[in-house]
Amino acid sequence: MPQTRKKLPNGVSKKDASAGQPASLLPGFEESCLPATADTVRHLTPGDHIPGLQKALLDWFAVHQRALPWRVSYTPYEVWISEVMLQQTQMERGVSYFLRWMQRFPDVATLAAAHEEDVLLLWEGLGYYSRARHILAAARKIMAEHGGVFPSDLASIRALPGVGPYTAGAIASIAFGEKLPCVDANVERVISRIFDVDSPVKQEPAAGVIHRWALKLVPEGKSREHNQAMMELGALVCRKKPLCGACPLAAFCISHHLGIADQRPVPGKRAVIKPVNAVTGVLRIGKNIFVQKRPPSGVWGNLWEFPGGRVEPGESPEQASVREFMEETGFEVRVTANYGVIRHGYTTYRLTLHCFGLELMNPCGGAEAEKYSEACPPPLQLTAAQQYKWTTPEELENLAMPAAHRKLADSLFNKPAATSDEPASATVRQARLTE
């Protein structure tokens, strides 16, 4: 029984549908990701048709590229900041952070002169705070060693703090036009499908194969456009669930030709997400709130937090909160309120944070007790921090905090007050977000 052909959309002739481009690229006639057949398009082996593949990709990018703020002038500084921000960050969120960053730190000199706490505060919510500290260190190195001019050679770019091979290649190719590939997760996905790379892309030999093809595909004099087009294609079309019918490279794609595009890239071993059960306590005296600043190195370095830690086996969250506060500050406290639970997802662990309101155990009585209740004493010790502060809710907004602690602070101090018959814990529970 002969196969039934799809009806072409109005205004598209059979001649148009076969005139050197796949029918799937014609408006209203997008094929699904099934094996290519004679009724769709003739397969072109990618390695033998690189110029055609390059042209198809660039033509598509010229029409479909997104209007992004760092694509206006392509300054090295803007390219650098955008590339670092977009690591582990969704595009829409990255754009808003980028615009806010450029208003505050429009150039390398302004950034280099900034205080680290101001940088961390502006970075708050993007996570991986070591990236922000590296950006600040790199800006200061550019001022000290390059006269404030962003270096253009790959070795000098690579020598900047926090700049790895991918970021260095992106800056060199997109800002300076160097013939280098940019291989991020989007590009890995595109190349693994086009060339049917059949082993885990993050491991050898697949990683080397992908990098070699990525370099070979970069056209002379078009590295900026090509690299962005590859990343854009992976983000918009060659996604985890591929839209092969809308892909400008479908004719060249071996995986599409074989009908296995959804089986590429081959995944590696998934990271185990570890659950972390922890507590934190908000100690208040009048309008003052106790916070402490974490050490420069380690998790959440140089960020402000409410003291706390992990729940030990055999103890309740309330008991853990009292114990952790004593161990970290020397303060004897008691629980006065249960603010509920905040859950926050990180790359390798899932945090369940039990939140409590605390007050100091009052060692005095009578008139002395009233006087003591208004004082803000220094902690007897700081075993998990480098600095402490009694702060107000208004001042708290200007301190850089880890995401889970910021959620707690916002729910307690910056959100509309709960109604009289609504417990404080309900307000926190509304703030359970996963980023």
Side-chain angles (χ1 to χ4, degrees):
M1 183 175 181
Q3 291 184 340
T4 302
R5 293 179 181 269
K6 284 195 176 185
K7 184 178 178 181
L8 291 172
N10 292 335
V12 178
S13 66
K14 291 182 179 179
K15 180 179 178 181
D16 292 333
S18 58
Q21 63 173 336
S24 60
L25 297 184
L26 299 171
F29 191 68
E30 295 183 357
E31 300 286 350
S32 62
C33 293
L34 296 174
T37 69
D39 289 334
T40 55
V41 64
R42 182 171 64 89
H43 175 60
L44 304 173
T45 308
D48 297 329
H49 296 85
I50 287 179
L53 186 156
Q54 292 168 331
K55 183 178 185 307
L57 178 64
L58 292 175
D59 288 348
W60 174 85
F61 183 64
V63 174
H64 296 285
Q65 64 176 299
R66 289 170 289 185
L68 300 173
W70 48 87
R71 287 178 176 168
V72 176
S73 56
Y74 288 105
T75 67
Y77 176 67
E78 291 181 336
V79 172
W80 171 43
I81 298 300
S82 69
E83 287 295 335
V84 178
M85 279 188 172
L86 289 175
Q87 295 166 17
Q88 304 291 332
T89 304
Q90 293 181 342
M91 179 63 75
E92 184 177 348
R93 193 174 195 194
V95 169
S96 65
Y97 271 84
F98 176 85
L99 293 173
R100 190 176 64 163
W101 180 279
M102 288 301 160
Q103 286 181 341
R104 177 66 179 82
F105 306 123
D107 50 44
V108 172
T110 307
L111 174 59
H115 293 292
E116 181 181 282
E117 195 153 302
D118 293 334
V119 175
L120 292 175
L121 181 62
L122 210 59
W123 195 267
E124 189 180 280
L126 287 174
Y128 299 93
Y129 289 90
S130 60
R131 293 183 296 171
R133 289 189 285 271
H134 285 145
I135 284 175
L136 179 58
R140 289 172 176 171
K141 183 171 183 175
I142 292 170
M143 295 302 297
E145 299 182 10
H146 301 281
V149 178
F150 205 101
S152 58
D153 64 288
L154 185 62
S156 295
I157 296 172
R158 184 69 178 84
L160 295 174
V163 176
Y166 165 76
T167 304
I171 296 169
S173 64
I174 296 173
F176 296 108
E178 291 289 326
K179 190 179 186 297
L180 295 167
C182 297
V183 182
D184 66 355
N186 288 319
V187 176
E188 285 176 346
R189 195 161 53 248
V190 171
I191 292 180
S192 71
R193 285 172 175 159
I194 290 175
F195 295 97
D196 187 27
V197 179
D198 60 0
S199 59
V201 294
K202 300 291 186 185
Q203 305 166 19
E204 296 296 346
V209 169
I210 287 173
H211 192 274
R212 287 191 291 274
W213 275 120
L215 177 59
K216 194 169 184 178
L217 290 177
V218 179
E220 291 290 344
K222 292 286 185 179
S223 59
R224 171 186 290 172
E225 296 84 355
H226 172 85
N227 282 327
Q228 290 185 102
M230 288 287 283
M231 292 186 282
E232 198 88 325
L233 185 68
L236 300 180
V237 177
C238 197
R239 304 184 299 196
K240 290 182 180 179
K241 186 176 180 181
L243 304 175
C244 300
C247 183
L249 305 185
F252 306 91
C253 183
I254 297 175
S255 296
H256 175 57
H257 178 66
L258 299 175
I260 57 171
D262 60 346
Q263 299 174 37
R264 301 288 182 266
V266 176
K269 233 181 181 181
R270 286 195 174 190
V272 177
I273 305 299
K274 298 179 180 178
V276 175
N277 194 31
V279 295
T280 193
V282 181
L283 174 62
R284 284 192 263 189
I285 296 179
K287 292 183 178 180
N288 298 299
I289 307 150
F290 184 87
V291 290
Q292 61 183 17
K293 191 176 186 180
R294 294 183 64 85
S297 59
V299 178
W300 299 338
N302 281 342
L303 299 185
W304 292 88
E305 66 170 2
F306 305 113
R310 297 196 184 209
V311 179
E312 298 293 343
E315 68 178 351
S316 68
E318 290 87 349
Q319 292 170 332
S321 181
V322 171
R323 174 186 55 76
E324 283 286 343
F325 226 96
M326 167 63 81
E327 290 176 357
E328 293 188 7
T329 67
F331 284 142
E332 286 189 68
V333 297
R334 61 173 163 241
V335 174
T336 60
N338 185 340
Y339 292 143
V341 175
I342 289 178
R343 295 181 173 86
H344 191 82
Y346 295 88
T347 304
T348 58
Y349 63 95
R350 172 79 171 168
L351 175 65
T352 299
L353 188 66
H354 303 267
C355 308
F356 299 98
L358 305 174
E359 69 177 9
L360 288 174
M361 296 285 285
N362 196 330
C364 311
E368 286 298 316
E370 184 176 345
K371 180 180 178 182
Y372 184 82
S373 67
E374 295 301 322
C376 294
L380 299 177
Q381 61 191 31
L382 285 176
T383 62
Q386 57 176 309
Q387 188 179 340
Y388 80 93
K389 182 180 291 190
W390 288 97
T391 184
T392 65
E394 293 76 22
E395 294 168 343
L396 199 61
E397 293 183 25
N398 297 319
L399 300 180
M401 305 182 78
H405 289 247
R406 176 59 69 191
K407 288 178 183 178
L408 175 58
D410 285 348
S411 68
L412 293 176
F413 309 120
N414 297 337
K415 301 299 180 187
T419 59
S420 58
D421 59 348
E422 182 182 30
S425 59
T427 307
V428 179
R429 291 189 186 106
Q430 291 171 5
R432 292 180 187 173
L433 305 175
T434 300
E435 298 173 354

